[in-house]
Amino acid sequence: MYRFFVEPSQVEETVIRICGSDVNHIKNVLRMKTGEEILISTGETMEYTCYIEEFLEDEVTAHIMYAQEAGYELSSKIYLFQGLPKSDKMEWIIQKAVELGVHQVIPVATKRAVVRLEGKKEVNKQRRWQAISESAAKQSKRMYVPEVSHVMSFKEALAYANNLDVILLPYERAKGMQETKTIINSIKPGQSIGIFIGPEGGFDEKEVEQSMDEGAKAITLGKRILRTETAGLTVLSVLMFALEE
């Protein structure tokens, strides 16, 4: 069953009015018909099961059959601070991170990042990344579309993460796996979590020191060396297993 997202203001007593690009997608891409059932979320806790009632020129009217609290989301909000990778790796990272339950993805321009985005190029990339997040959220039955923020400097990213309950930093010089297990097991459901992942070249030593000064906890991901596009998803998978209720 296809899922769509709307603003709370689009929900009326018995109907939901779908507008924007989803109208063309429903009509001309999915070629759906009246009577077909769909799922709709407003980005809150309620999920609406509806059937398509009417096609208008610039909107689709969906009749609400019933609403329920879906409970698909993790109790903890997880923020992925991803050092800008090369090529189109960021698109893959965003897609999979959304599937795994990330709350927000923050692209970070670290010292060793090869990619540099600014101006119109950054705007276009961010728009593309947000579209990928929305598509992944629909596919994985998320209750909202995780935001992909503008590109932050490392200093800005640390400041942004300052109010989070836990900051994790996968680092090759971290202590053994037992220490990492202790850190992961100490995280309580409901706590906000930041994950800092370096680009292909990893973090600069000063960036690691700055992270530690801000309270980041260094963890190991095992004896094998993981690519930047694997590391963050590994941590997300571990946290999902630990925090899923």
Side-chain angles (χ1 to χ4, degrees):
M1 196 181 302
Y2 293 106
R3 172 181 293 274
F4 300 94
F5 296 94
V6 301
E7 295 295 325
S9 60
Q10 293 171 245
V11 180
E12 300 177 5
E13 187 174 349
T14 59
V15 299
I16 298 177
R17 301 188 182 279
I18 303 172
C19 306
S21 60
D22 281 335
V23 175
N24 178 68
H25 190 67
I26 292 171
K27 286 181 178 180
N28 303 317
V29 179
L30 300 177
R31 296 185 181 278
M32 300 188 76
K33 307 296 182 184
T34 55
E36 289 192 61
E37 294 184 12
I38 57 176
L39 296 173
I40 297 178
S41 171
T42 60
E44 300 170 332
T45 59
M46 300 303 294
E47 176 185 70
Y48 299 88
T49 300
C50 310
Y51 66 81
I52 295 176
E53 185 173 69
E54 186 180 12
F55 289 98
L56 301 175
E57 183 177 352
D58 57 354
E59 71 175 43
V60 175
T61 301
H63 185 88
I64 299 173
M65 298 167 64
Y66 57 89
Q68 63 180 6
E69 290 194 19
Y72 295 136
E73 298 297 331
L74 293 171
S75 60
S76 293
K77 291 182 178 180
I78 305 177
Y79 299 75
L80 176 61
F81 295 83
Q82 175 66 52
L84 286 173
K86 292 184 287 187
S87 188
D88 59 354
K89 293 176 184 177
M90 193 68 175
E91 297 185 3
W92 192 84
I93 291 170
I94 291 168
Q95 182 188 64
K96 302 309 174 187
V98 170
E99 291 178 19
L100 289 168
V102 78
H103 176 71
Q104 186 180 24
V105 179
I106 300 93
V108 183
T110 62
K111 186 173 182 179
R112 293 179 180 172
V114 175
V115 175
R116 291 290 183 266
L117 296 176
E118 57 185 19
K120 187 176 180 180
K121 187 175 181 180
E122 179 185 347
V123 171
N124 291 336
K125 276 289 187 182
Q126 186 182 10
R127 186 181 296 117
R128 167 68 178 162
W129 291 339
Q130 192 62 51
I132 290 171
S133 176
E134 181 174 351
S135 178
K138 290 177 179 178
Q139 182 273 324
S140 56
K141 290 188 175 182
R142 295 294 300 272
M143 293 300 293
Y144 59 90
V145 179
E147 178 191 0
V148 181
S149 81
H150 67 279
V151 178
M152 295 186 187
S153 67
F154 191 76
K155 182 178 180 180
E156 289 172 331
L158 281 180
Y160 190 75
N162 189 50
N163 292 324
L164 302 182
D165 296 314
V166 181
I167 302 175
L168 302 177
L169 180 78
Y171 184 48
E172 61 268 21
R173 296 183 184 176
K175 295 180 181 179
M177 185 58 73
Q178 189 55 52
E179 176 71 14
T180 294
K181 290 179 179 179
T182 299
I183 291 172
I184 296 296
N185 291 333
S186 69
I187 299 175
K188 299 178 177 61
Q191 287 188 307
S192 54
I193 308 163
I195 305 169
F196 274 76
I197 303 295
E200 285 83 357
F203 285 117
D204 179 77
E205 290 296 326
K206 289 186 178 179
E207 291 173 333
V208 174
E209 292 176 7
Q210 291 170 351
S211 301
M212 298 303 178
D213 290 342
E214 293 297 325
K217 299 179 179 180
I219 61 173
T220 178
L221 299 181
K223 299 177 181 179
R224 292 149 299 282
I225 301 300
L226 302 183
R227 293 176 180 270
T228 183
E229 65 266 35
T230 309
L233 303 182
T234 299
V235 182
L236 276 166
S237 298
V238 170
L239 291 172
M240 183 180 69
F241 182 81
L243 300 171
E244 192 81 74
E245 296 178 339

